[in-house]
Amino acid sequence: MEGFEVARSENGGIAILYIKGYLDAHTAPDLENAFQQLVDSKKFSIVVNFRDLNYISSAGLGVFMGFIEDIRKNGGDIKLSNMKPKIYRVFDLLGFPTLYDILEEEEKAVEKFSRTQSKN
Amino acid sequence: MGKTPIKYRLKLPSQSDNLAVIRDLVTKVATQVGFSNDDVSKIELAVDEACANVIKHAYGSNSKKLIDVLIKVDAQKLMVVVTDKGKGFNPDDIKLPRMNEYLKEMRVGGLGIYLIETLMDKVNFDVRPGIRNQVKMIKYLNKPASASDAN
């Protein structure tokens, strides 16, 4: 069965979510819960590592749309990394790269947070 | 492939865990027919979006209702017809969002129809709420000249 998993870790105060498998209308609530937990614990600097994600539909994209505004209002951001070309194409099709920082490597996304935070 | 189209049909309870089953069949058929990996991914996503709309909107996640997916392939094309007997929608509401404004407003959801229209070569909505709603999606194996000329 095509499942979905989300694992959480932290790198220098920045929350990292590792998402794996298939993100669709059935599994999107799992990612929603993971974001909600981070927001509830006031963790607003978030990197989502897409390394092991094989599929995304608009229900999955909707989760990012649902949280980004609130997270940015709180001075944070959601940065995305390690996307397979197939996944990036879906983001690109909808113009999401203008709205989200999409980086090749998780480390670069984490560094970008550190740079922004040291400017403030 | 001969002239007679080959048909595959799925009738499944309208519940979101069946999306994986539907995607599985569609990708297998599309791969077998000879679509590129890129096109297979497009067809997979478009069909997922159409079925997710039925499950969430037309049937309001009522798993007693059935979602009907018909896949028809011939030498030129693959056609997928998703049929439901649910609420349907107002075709006026499905005008494609202007993506720039859409993203600026950070609206949630509603991207499915836009994706279907973008990913497939031909899409037709036949909406008769409560009677029969149907989304017909076609992908050509070799895009007709007129379609590629337009780009």
Side-chain angles (χ1 to χ4, degrees):
Chain A
M1 199 65 193
E2 301 172 343
F4 174 74
E5 281 171 39
V6 50
R8 197 177 139 176
S9 140
E10 212 165 300
N11 184 340
I14 288 148
I16 320 279
L17 292 180
Y18 294 93
I19 56 177
K20 181 179 177 180
Y22 296 76
L23 182 52
D24 65 4
H26 185 61
T27 58
D30 294 347
L31 182 61
E32 222 167 72
N33 288 341
F35 271 116
Q36 194 58 56
Q37 279 176 19
L38 290 175
V39 168
D40 288 347
S41 53
K42 305 213 178 304
K43 298 213 174 289
F44 300 117
S45 297
I46 303 164
V47 173
V48 182
N49 186 325
F50 279 68
R51 193 182 54 205
D52 296 317
L53 195 79
N54 295 319
Y55 179 81
I56 189 163
S57 74
S58 74
L61 295 161
V63 178
F64 295 94
M65 296 294 274
F67 282 94
I68 190 75
E69 199 173 5
D70 194 25
I71 284 173
R72 285 190 181 152
K73 265 187 201 157
N74 282 286
D77 196 17
I78 305 173
K79 298 189 194 295
L80 317 174
S81 79
N82 303 72
M83 268 182 207
K84 288 178 181 161
K86 177 187 166 185
I87 304 288
Y88 181 80
R89 274 199 292 276
V90 182
F91 274 83
D92 195 35
L93 202 60
L94 295 170
F96 276 48
T98 61
L99 192 63
Y100 294 89
D101 262 340
I102 303 178
L103 297 118
E104 278 189 25
E105 299 292 332
E106 179 190 315
E107 273 309 311
K108 286 183 184 156
V110 172
E111 273 172 31
K112 212 162 174 187
F113 267 118
S114 319
R115 278 206 301 274
T116 329
Q117 280 162 2
S118 58
K119 264 187 220 164
N120 295 336
Chain B
M1 202 175 299
K3 281 182 179 173
T4 322
I6 302 171
K7 290 181 191 175
Y8 305 82
R9 190 165 207 168
L10 280 177
K11 273 191 172 188
L12 296 168
S14 174
Q15 53 195 47
S16 59
D17 55 348
N18 278 329
L19 289 171
V21 179
I22 295 165
R23 288 201 304 268
D24 211 36
L25 177 67
V26 169
T27 50
K28 279 192 178 125
V29 172
T31 305
Q32 210 172 39
V33 175
F35 282 101
S36 66
N37 287 342
D38 194 30
D39 276 348
V40 171
S41 298
K42 287 179 180 174
I43 297 166
E44 177 186 25
L45 181 54
V47 174
D48 177 321
E49 297 293 343
C51 294
N53 274 348
V54 171
I55 292 166
K56 197 172 169 193
H57 301 297
Y59 286 145
S61 301
N62 177 354
S63 61
K64 285 186 185 145
K65 303 284 187 179
L66 290 178
I67 178 164
D68 183 330
V69 182
L70 172 71
I71 307 170
K72 230 170 161 178
V73 283
D74 61 31
Q76 286 85 37
K77 64 184 182 296
L78 177 146
M79 179 166 88
V80 183
V81 185
V82 177
T83 308
D84 72 78
K85 291 176 180 169
K87 274 194 292 190
F89 50 83
N90 181 352
D92 290 341
D93 292 341
I94 61 162
K95 279 182 188 148
L96 303 187
R98 273 176 289 182
M99 287 314 287
N100 282 345
E101 286 175 23
Y102 192 93
L103 291 174
K104 242 187 266 167
E105 292 170 19
M106 297 190 186
R107 282 171 53 194
V108 182
L111 297 173
I113 304 288
Y114 175 83
L115 281 173
I116 295 169
E117 297 265 13
T118 310
L119 296 165
M120 299 300 277
D121 293 332
K122 218 178 199 177
V123 180
N124 178 266
F125 294 94
D126 182 13
V127 181
R128 290 179 239 164
I131 304 165
R132 193 204 65 181
N133 310 302
Q134 207 165 59
V135 188
K136 228 180 246 178
M137 300 166 272
I138 293 174
K139 194 89 186 162
Y140 293 100
L141 270 159
N142 295 298
K143 246 187 187 173
S146 59
S148 50
D149 284 349
N151 295 321

